Amino acid sequence: MELSRSFTREEFLCKCGDCDYDTVDAELVTLLQELRDSFNEPIIITSGNRCPAHNLAIGSKAKNSYHIRGRAADIQVRNISPAAVQEYIRDKYPEKYGLGCYATFTHIDTRTKKGRWNG
């Protein structure tokens, strides 16, 4: 099912292979579409929605993870470094969203307050 011009619900499906968790927040889709349009490059969702069991299995200690609620995605933007993606988000949304900065990917979530961390 298409959620926007560039994203389908299947891209957000939990990667455990045992469930059908595929909830995704509309604001997250809008944000990712805006990133896709700004960079003019495909976005790969390496982790979208997670069922609680999968979230625990991959080592997440966050019991209230935004991934479980369909409000987070770990992404890679083709041909764009994670550092450049992170800088763009920091500059465009200085007081909004959760931004996790990692060497190989970027975590983004639609929390109501600003959150920033390095992984």
Side-chain angles (χ1 to χ4, degrees):
M1 171 195 279
E2 192 172 281
L3 298 172
S4 74
R5 287 187 320 279
S6 303
F7 297 99
T8 64
R9 182 171 297 282
E10 291 78 22
E11 292 176 90
F12 293 89
L13 183 67
C14 180
K15 307 270 191 233
C16 77
D18 293 328
C19 73
D20 61 356
Y21 263 55
D22 68 352
T23 300
V24 61
D25 179 54
E27 185 176 2
L28 180 62
V29 173
T30 299
L31 174 60
L32 293 175
Q33 186 63 56
E34 188 268 319
L35 287 171
R36 165 71 173 86
D37 294 343
S38 293
F39 285 110
N40 198 29
E41 291 287 350
I43 292 179
I44 298 97
I45 299 169
T46 60
S47 184
N49 201 318
R50 297 179 192 155
C51 67
H54 183 61
N55 197 57
L56 186 62
I58 64 167
S60 176
K61 298 189 184 353
K63 291 186 177 166
N64 292 317
S65 169
Y66 284 87
H67 285 280
I68 293 172
R69 296 185 264 165
R71 294 182 59 192
D74 296 339
I75 64 169
Q76 296 172 324
V77 180
R78 188 175 296 155
N79 299 317
I80 308 292
S81 73
V85 174
Q86 295 153 13
E87 180 180 11
Y88 176 88
I89 294 167
R90 271 193 304 273
D91 290 348
K92 178 128 184 166
Y93 303 104
E95 299 302 322
K96 282 180 85 170
Y97 302 128
L99 174 64
C101 301
Y102 298 85
T104 60
F105 70 94
T106 300
H107 168 97
I108 185 80
D109 67 57
T110 56
R111 68 185 65 202
T112 55
K113 295 181 180 177
K114 172 181 146 180
R116 304 289 188 264
W117 67 92
N118 294 315

